[in-house]
Amino acid sequence: MAFSQSNDWENPSYIGKGKEKPHTGFVLFDHAASALKRDYTASANYKTLNGNWDFQFHPDYRQADFDFSKPVPGQWKNIRVPSNWELQGFGIPIYTNIPYPFPKNPPFVGNDNPVGIYRKSFDKPFGDGQTILYFGSISGCAFVWLNGQKIGMTKNAKTPAEFNITRYLKEKGNELVVKVFRWSDGSYLEDQDFWRLSGIERDVYLYRLPDVSVWDYFLRADLDSTLKDGLFSADIDVRKFRNANNGEALLELQLLDPNGQKVFSGKKNIILKNDSMQTIRFAARIRKPEQWSAEFPNLYTVLLSLKTGDSETYIAEKTGFRKVEIKGGQLRVNGIAIRVHGVNRHEHDPETGHYTSKELMLKDILLMKSFNINAVRLSHYPNDPEFYKLCDQYGLYLVDEANIESHGMGDANSPGLDTLHHPAYLPEWENAHLDRTERMIKRDKNHPSIILWSLGNECSNGPVFKKTYRMVKAYDPGRPVMFEQAHENWNTDVIAPMYPSFESMKQFAQRKDQQRPYIMCEYSHAMGNSNGNFGDYFRVIRSSPYMQGGFIWDWVDQGLKTKDLNGQVFYAYGGDLGSFLYYNDENGVADGILSSDRTPDPGAYEVRKVYQYLDFSPKNIRSGIFEVTNNYNFAGTENFDFLWEIVGNGKVVKTGTFSLKLRPGQSGTVKVDYPEISADQEYFINFKAVTKHRWCILPEGTALAWEQMKVSGDFFTRKTEAPGALSITESPREISFSSGNTHGVFNKEKGRFTQYSNGSVTLNELPVPHFWRAPTDNDFGNKMPEKLGFWRNAHHELKLEKVSVFPKGPEGLKITCDYSLGNAAYQIRYTIRNNADIAMTFSIQLQTELPEMPRFGSRMVLPGNFHHLTYYGQGPYENYQDRNEASFVGIYSDTTENQYYKGYIRPQESGNRTGVRWLELLDDDGHGIAVAGLQELNFTAIHHSTEDLDPGYTKKQQHPTDLPPRKNIYLNIDLKQRGVGGDDSWRSLPHPQYLLNDQHYEFSYIFRLK
């Protein structure tokens, strides 16, 4: 396609200028001991340029059309580097998922294109050799000047841009200027689902190379066909810069095992001729090396030294012996078909945006390992180099993904894809695609943690991706390629669907003799209150040898920490921070299983439970015999202490421990000696496995597996005695009753209790019918507010048809209230028991024309001082019928202030508990209310009403700070509510078994005062 243009930032054929070719990242050291510590900052060949820079921001690029060979006019302000300028007070952060934040007309980006100009002064840091200027990542199109001379340009964020500045340097007062356009033709390939932020966002530094130096190296630490011996090789590129003299050099390589013992060494003499680059190869067979895996990340050290004349420099690099292959239709590491317990991870800090510190990376890795996550898809771009080093060290499998997404132009799933304009189909964009992938693989090739390459995300599968696939496989045949956009075409080694339907997953699970594994690149969309039916996913995955897991979308909410006008902290999303008038995708930026501050969401605990590697199951539950299965790929269970406890009606009655030595994939049994079992209690056994010692990054005593199984009993078969002398006084309008200190009034005209008191507690209303819940993000996605809107105000539409009062009997006084709700019949049956407790039964008979019911239950408002909550049910985490496998039956106590999960970036349904037998809400003196289910209940007890949390048919740009907690407690007592779902957040319903589509529902509980 021909196009007319005159701007370098709108020319896809002009992908960079003056940049060095891509290579692995390193800094030279002058001593071996220093090199082995791998601390760049300690090297005499390194100088950081991070810190304060001068900065100008120009909202219109035409205001910044300066002659940079002269001093830049205008006033300068300060900015921290690395950072994103929008989070330093310059310009507006924009969040959009698919649409571009500029007019779509490739390669043009329009005139609304801000520019940032950076300036930094420094003295010449090194005496001789070559000085390389390194930018870890610049978001935007950057033009670079040094001392008034233009030295280059880069458009490719997320991989380094390096410039040899040796000939531009002077001894003192070097002035570096970088002009960054926010948008360019490169932005068409950087349409990821994240905040669109700009500027110098990773480390900037200078490093020295001697005139003859190591330039690149490719370390391969493979295993032989027996998977016992290691096959080590190193291809080392030695570069002779133009002004270096011919002569000789000595290259030496040492391979050190994890204990620092030398297992191989070699030396090679190099004849320095006119060639600018020579590749020197070392190879060796290493007998029975300690293998690298995510469970045991054993690292070897390669120490390189290059001696030329009086100069000797050193590099230390880590490597790990492992074999990654597709074999028998499975992704295998060291011969073992692994399960991918993965998440997608954007680089995000709530305060610094795309710049993430080492401390935050370590926090993420510790959380991932403690939540049984073993794999990370680096969505959707190469990450900061430090993250790979930490994953090598602590053990995480990585999918390294090229910084390519052109979703706004359409992807492989888009109907009517416009191939005439899509960059993936146009030859003038080919080099821009290839360059991004090449720079990724050549930078990251030495990391054992990377087990898969990805060619990009939501970018279609045009001809360039076939060419890219061939390029990757030719350069690095030892790693498979995972590319979702290829679907089941030949240019992907892994079938990697994105949000497949549950039915399609089950269909794939039935396939036989597959040649490629099935690993979902994105699934279980964790937007807001989500991650429902997660256990169902993995039951399907575990049913097929070819289905090997997937990567949850995604790791952490990308909220940006800010304050409202009252000084209250909240986390901003699309439409905030001045971007409301720009196109934005609202809180779609918050899809993590962690909140923006890295607090795990309730759904994260479900993920942790389903992802666990140790399974517990009953073998002969009556005899106390249970089976433990070790699903780790490489670790044995000797690394764990096993704990068990027997719980009767929620109280621990016996505990114990045991040890098992199980190899990976092996099962074993354990015998538990039960205590004396009482027939009138229900008993559960709880198991837990904790680490005996520090393991990778996990501290000793970290719990990594749990299970609960019912041993015996049925809580609801017990008799609920209600002794007392019930006194009844009836008038045409009311029924007054009393027993002991408790008395109350029932209004027959209204069909409701108007007073209920025991002297310490007085209520003017008891629970009334309720059918609605505040929409979750998934509810909005499947249009629940519109489709199920009948139920929003259905409690107001109930028409009382008849009140029937029956003669007092042995169980007390029975009252029945019959209602109509359109064509549906609704009934409440009350029994005022002999002790003045009130038994309530809510029943509905639906008609087929009514939509699905969001919840079937009741609700009431309680004084805020009844905030001490104790319940016997599933917890301690918020849970729902499709997300409660991590929530065990027990007795839990907390305050109502903690029941609403404040980490959801947008207010929505929260705080539910399932499997509830009874609950109490009491004040500081122990007075309040108690509810006992006659079958399992759901309940929520929070300081927000449903109406507060329900914004209507649209989300209304709400935040938790917009809805301060009320003093009162809003108590819902339900039979159930619909599941939260999680297949996606834009279409899918919760799975059918988690919907309320039956024609009849009924439940009962006993309400009393304390």
Side-chain angles (χ1 to χ4, degrees):
M1 183 185 76
F3 53 88
S4 173
Q5 57 80 35
S6 58
N7 298 320
D8 289 342
W9 63 91
E10 295 177 317
N11 181 354
S13 300
Y14 187 45
I15 60 176
K17 183 177 182 181
K19 293 166 65 173
E20 293 292 324
K21 292 182 178 180
H23 61 101
T24 196
F26 63 87
V27 166
L28 296 174
F29 292 82
D30 295 333
H31 304 283
S34 300
L36 289 170
K37 295 178 181 178
R38 302 179 74 212
D39 179 4
Y40 289 2
T41 63
S43 172
N45 301 299
Y46 170 92
K47 178 180 175 58
T48 183
L49 295 183
N50 289 352
N52 288 325
W53 287 50
D54 299 328
F55 185 72
Q56 289 184 13
F57 178 72
H58 298 275
D60 187 330
Y61 75 91
R62 291 165 291 192
Q63 301 169 348
D65 189 17
F66 303 131
D67 180 357
F68 288 91
S69 66
K70 302 176 182 178
V72 177
Q75 294 185 342
W76 294 91
K77 296 184 178 181
N78 288 328
I79 193 170
R80 291 195 308 274
V81 170
S83 68
N84 297 115
W85 71 52
E86 293 86 355
L87 303 186
Q88 299 293 307
F90 304 100
I92 296 173
I94 298 171
Y95 165 63
T96 170
N97 177 6
I98 301 173
Y100 291 106
F102 46 80
K104 184 174 73 172
N105 181 27
F108 307 108
V109 293
N111 290 330
D112 186 6
N113 192 6
V115 161
I117 302 174
Y118 296 80
R119 184 177 70 180
K120 182 78 169 179
S121 296
F122 61 92
D123 294 336
K124 184 178 179 182
F126 314 120
D128 59 1
Q130 307 294 313
T131 299
I132 309 297
L133 170 62
Y134 173 99
F135 294 97
S137 172
I138 304 176
S139 181
C141 176
F143 297 84
V144 185
W145 286 263
L146 182 61
N147 297 327
Q149 297 185 72
K150 191 173 185 178
I151 63 171
M153 181 273 286
T154 181
K155 293 177 182 175
N156 183 355
K158 309 302 184 182
T159 49
E162 294 185 318
F163 302 92
N164 189 334
I165 61 172
T166 307
R167 65 190 180 96
Y168 302 100
L169 286 170
K170 56 186 181 181
E171 290 296 325
K172 297 286 185 180
N174 293 282
E175 185 175 271
L176 176 64
V177 176
V178 183
K179 178 182 181 181
V180 182
F181 289 78
R182 187 175 192 181
W183 315 123
S184 73
D185 57 85
S187 305
Y188 281 95
L189 303 185
E190 296 179 359
D191 191 32
Q192 288 91 349
D193 178 10
F194 66 166
W195 285 102
R196 312 305 170 98
L197 303 175
S198 318
I200 304 173
E201 58 184 12
R202 289 187 190 157
D203 291 338
V204 186
Y205 57 84
L206 305 172
Y207 68 95
R208 173 189 171 275
L209 296 177
D211 292 336
V212 176
S213 175
V214 171
W215 174 252
D216 198 5
Y217 47 88
F218 196 168
L219 309 177
R220 296 176 175 89
D222 201 353
L223 300 176
D224 67 7
S225 59
T226 69
L227 304 173
K228 292 181 180 179
D229 285 351
L231 302 177
F232 174 77
S233 68
D235 292 312
I236 302 162
D237 293 339
V238 177
R239 181 174 179 181
K240 175 179 174 288
F241 288 88
R242 290 180 181 178
N243 53 336
N245 295 322
N246 291 343
E248 293 186 2
L250 178 65
L251 180 65
E252 182 176 2
L253 181 148
Q254 298 180 52
L255 180 65
L256 311 178
D257 71 13
N259 296 314
Q261 299 299 307
K262 188 188 301 182
V263 295
F264 169 74
S265 64
K267 296 181 180 180
K268 298 248 178 128
N269 287 309
I270 306 171
I271 305 299
L272 302 174
K273 298 181 179 179
N274 293 328
D275 297 334
S276 62
M277 200 82 70
Q278 295 186 57
T279 299
I280 312 301
R281 184 175 179 83
F282 294 89
R285 176 180 285 267
I286 307 301
R287 181 171 171 77
K288 294 183 178 179
E290 297 182 54
Q291 298 179 12
W292 188 97
S293 68
E295 295 169 28
F296 294 109
N298 298 304
L299 289 174
Y300 284 64
T301 303
V302 175
L303 181 64
L304 296 174
S305 67
L306 182 66
K307 186 174 183 180
T308 57
D310 296 332
S311 170
E312 189 165 10
T313 55
Y314 297 86
I315 301 168
E317 185 65 271
K318 297 292 184 180
T319 191
F321 283 91
R322 88 285 185 273
K323 179 181 284 292
V324 182
E325 58 186 338
I326 305 293
K327 187 175 181 180
Q330 296 176 309
L331 173 65
R332 301 190 182 200
V333 175
N334 303 339
I336 304 298
I338 64 169
R339 293 288 186 195
V340 175
H341 295 179
V343 291
N344 284 269
R345 176 186 179 267
H346 268 295
E347 290 184 307
H348 179 78
D349 183 289
E351 298 186 57
T352 59
H354 293 173
Y355 169 67
T356 55
S357 66
K358 180 178 179 180
E359 291 72 25
L360 187 66
M361 297 177 200
L362 284 167
K363 184 173 186 177
D364 278 352
I365 291 170
L366 175 59
L367 280 167
M368 288 174 181
K369 299 285 282 190
S370 64
F371 275 73
N372 290 312
I373 290 162
N374 71 353
V376 184
R377 179 177 177 232
L378 303 179
S379 53
H380 300 291
Y381 40 79
N383 277 208
D384 187 289
E386 189 66 33
F387 189 68
Y388 300 82
K389 296 176 183 178
L390 296 172
C391 292
D392 292 342
Q393 179 179 355
Y394 294 115
L396 284 170
Y397 300 123
L398 299 181
V399 178
D400 205 8
E401 188 156 87
N403 184 23
I404 298 174
E405 178 169 339
S406 47
H407 201 176
M409 296 300 300
D411 72 350
N413 303 304
S414 300
L417 182 68
D418 182 5
T419 59
L420 295 178
H421 297 92
H422 196 294
Y425 295 84
L426 303 178
E428 60 266 30
W429 291 82
E430 181 178 283
N431 287 338
H433 287 81
L434 292 169
D435 178 68
R436 289 168 180 264
T437 306
E438 181 185 17
R439 288 184 177 275
M440 172 186 71
I441 62 174
K442 290 191 174 178
R443 187 197 72 166
D444 298 337
K445 56 185 175 286
N446 292 313
H447 292 286
S449 54
I450 298 172
I451 63 170
L452 293 166
W453 297 117
S454 170
L455 309 185
N457 182 70
E458 294 174 322
C459 48
S460 193
N461 191 28
V464 68
F465 291 107
K466 279 79 170 182
K467 189 169 185 176
T468 305
Y469 176 87
R470 293 189 183 100
M471 176 189 74
V472 172
K473 299 299 282 189
Y475 184 76
D476 184 19
R479 287 185 178 96
V481 168
M482 183 179 92
F483 184 43
E484 180 269 336
Q485 291 286 281
H487 296 170
E488 296 193 36
N489 290 319
W490 61 266
N491 60 321
T492 181
D493 302 316
V494 176
I495 298 171
M498 181 181 289
Y499 308 108
S501 71
F502 200 64
E503 287 304 313
S504 72
M505 288 178 64
K506 290 191 288 187
Q507 290 170 12
F508 190 94
Q510 300 302 313
R511 293 193 192 181
K512 307 297 182 185
D513 301 322
Q514 289 297 298
Q515 300 304 308
R516 290 182 289 186
Y518 179 105
I519 301 172
M520 293 172 283
C521 71
E522 294 178 22
Y523 79 119
S524 191
H525 199 263
M527 186 177 181
N529 191 348
S530 189
N531 298 111
N533 53 260
F534 194 71
D536 297 335
Y537 272 125
F538 256 73
R539 280 182 279 277
V540 174
I541 289 167
R542 290 171 180 145
S543 72
S544 166
Y546 308 112
M547 301 188 78
Q548 291 186 253
F551 298 87
I552 295 166
W553 187 266
D554 62 337
W555 174 239
V556 63
D557 287 353
Q558 297 174 61
L560 293 173
K561 189 176 182 180
T562 188
K563 293 182 179 180
D564 65 14
L565 295 176
N566 297 316
Q568 297 184 90
V569 172
F570 72 98
Y571 291 89
Y573 55 78
D576 293 329
L577 304 176
S579 66
F580 187 76
L581 296 180
Y582 289 85
Y583 176 86
N584 68 84
D585 283 301
E586 300 176 316
N587 65 312
V589 78
D591 307 330
I593 61 172
L594 305 184
S595 295
S596 302
D597 63 357
R598 260 60 180 190
T599 299
D601 288 351
Y605 296 96
E606 191 83 350
V607 170
R608 181 178 69 174
K609 170 65 171 64
V610 174
Y611 270 178
Q612 71 186 33
Y613 299 90
L614 298 173
D615 288 344
F616 305 84
S617 58
K619 193 78 171 176
N620 186 332
I621 204 161
R622 284 191 174 185
S623 302
I625 300 174
F626 298 88
E627 184 172 76
V628 181
T629 300
N630 178 11
N631 291 314
Y632 282 100
N633 296 126
F634 305 100
T637 58
E638 66 273 10
N639 298 312
F640 290 92
D641 287 321
F642 292 89
L643 295 78
W644 59 266
E645 62 182 15
I646 302 292
V647 182
N649 279 5
K651 297 180 180 179
V652 175
V653 295
K654 191 173 183 180
T655 63
T657 62
F658 63 91
S659 296
L660 277 177
K661 290 188 177 181
L662 301 174
R663 297 186 304 275
Q666 188 179 23
S667 297
T669 59
V670 61
K671 174 76 164 61
V672 171
D673 293 325
Y674 290 151
E676 184 177 342
I677 299 294
S678 173
D680 63 350
Q681 294 195 41
E682 67 173 348
Y683 291 89
F684 292 88
I685 186 166
N686 297 331
F687 291 100
K688 182 166 64 173
V690 301
T691 55
K692 282 185 178 180
H693 314 288
R694 182 178 178 85
W695 186 16
C696 300
I697 199 172
L698 296 172
E700 175 187 344
T702 300
L704 291 175
W706 300 257
E707 195 54 82
Q708 182 177 74
M709 287 169 270
K710 193 163 193 176
V711 173
S712 67
D714 184 344
F715 182 83
F716 300 105
T717 60
R718 64 192 180 91
K719 294 183 178 180
T720 56
E721 303 291 339
L726 180 64
S727 174
I728 301 293
T729 301
E730 184 174 0
S731 70
R733 187 180 177 207
E734 293 180 338
I735 298 172
S736 299
F737 61 93
S738 64
S739 179
N741 294 327
T742 304
H743 63 275
V745 175
F746 179 82
N747 186 304
K748 293 191 289 183
E749 294 178 349
K750 297 180 179 179
R752 294 188 178 185
F753 291 88
T754 56
Q755 188 183 82
Y756 193 40
S757 177
N758 67 355
S760 300
V761 177
T762 298
L763 302 175
N764 295 321
E765 187 177 57
L766 295 190
V768 296
H770 194 51
F771 308 96
W772 189 247
R773 78 170 183 199
T776 65
D777 289 311
N778 292 343
D779 288 337
F780 271 110
N782 59 54
K783 302 189 183 303
M784 171 268 219
E786 302 104 288
K787 293 181 177 179
L788 310 188
F790 170 85
W791 297 104
R792 178 182 269 111
N793 296 306
H795 55 290
H796 292 308
E797 303 300 322
L798 284 167
K799 182 180 179 181
L800 182 62
E801 300 289 351
K802 183 174 67 171
V803 174
S804 303
V805 181
F806 299 89
K808 179 184 173 185
E811 297 179 359
L813 181 69
K814 295 187 176 183
I815 305 170
T816 298
C817 299
D818 290 296
Y819 297 83
S820 59
L821 181 62
N823 293 325
Y826 189 92
Q827 186 182 75
I828 306 176
R829 301 192 296 275
Y830 299 107
T831 299
I832 304 172
R833 289 157 43 103
N834 292 323
N835 62 355
D837 294 352
I838 301 173
M840 307 179 184
T841 298
F842 299 83
S843 174
I844 193 167
Q845 185 65 46
L846 293 165
Q847 301 300 316
T848 55
E849 65 266 21
L850 290 177
E852 173 215 341
M853 190 161 42
R855 84 189 314 153
F856 182 63
S858 60
R859 69 171 179 175
M860 69 180 304
V861 182
L862 292 170
N865 60 327
F866 290 4
H867 66 143
H868 296 289
L869 168 67
T870 301
Y871 74 95
Y872 178 31
Q874 290 186 254
Y877 320 110
E878 166 194 281
N879 58 89
Y880 294 80
Q881 60 167 320
D882 61 349
R883 199 190 71 210
N884 61 6
E885 295 186 26
S887 299
F888 294 166
V889 175
I891 295 176
Y892 301 98
S893 296
D894 201 349
T895 63
T896 53
E897 287 82 0
N898 295 328
Q899 297 309 294
Y900 180 82
Y901 181 63
K902 303 175 182 66
Y904 296 137
I905 204 168
R906 185 193 68 79
Q908 57 196 279
E909 158 63 35
S910 175
N912 192 68
R913 301 297 189 276
T914 64
V916 176
R917 280 75 168 153
W918 57 259
L919 67 100
E920 295 179 344
L921 288 161
L922 306 177
D923 63 17
D924 293 344
D925 298 320
H927 302 300
I929 65 107
V931 176
L934 299 182
Q935 73 294 295
E936 291 183 6
L937 300 172
N938 284 210
F939 86 90
T940 61
I942 61 177
H943 290 266
H944 299 282
S945 69
T946 301
E947 288 79 2
D948 287 342
L949 297 171
D950 181 4
Y953 294 108
T954 59
K955 293 183 178 181
K956 305 290 194 298
Q957 204 71 25
Q958 291 183 329
H959 308 84
T961 49
D962 298 325
L963 299 176
R966 295 182 181 270
K967 292 181 179 180
N968 289 333
I969 298 165
Y970 295 84
L971 173 65
N972 280 81
I973 309 166
D974 306 324
L975 174 64
K976 62 172 72 173
Q977 59 169 288
R978 76 182 338 214
V980 292
D983 290 2
D984 59 58
S985 298
W986 50 89
R987 177 182 59 246
S988 297
L989 292 168
H991 290 189
Q993 64 269 36
Y994 306 123
L995 299 174
L996 277 67
N997 276 322
D998 292 346
Q999 296 300 294
H1000 177 74
Y1001 291 100
E1002 182 173 301
F1003 74 111
S1004 305
Y1005 57 84
I1006 297 170
F1007 190 95
R1008 66 188 178 95
L1009 303 178
K1010 296 197 72 173

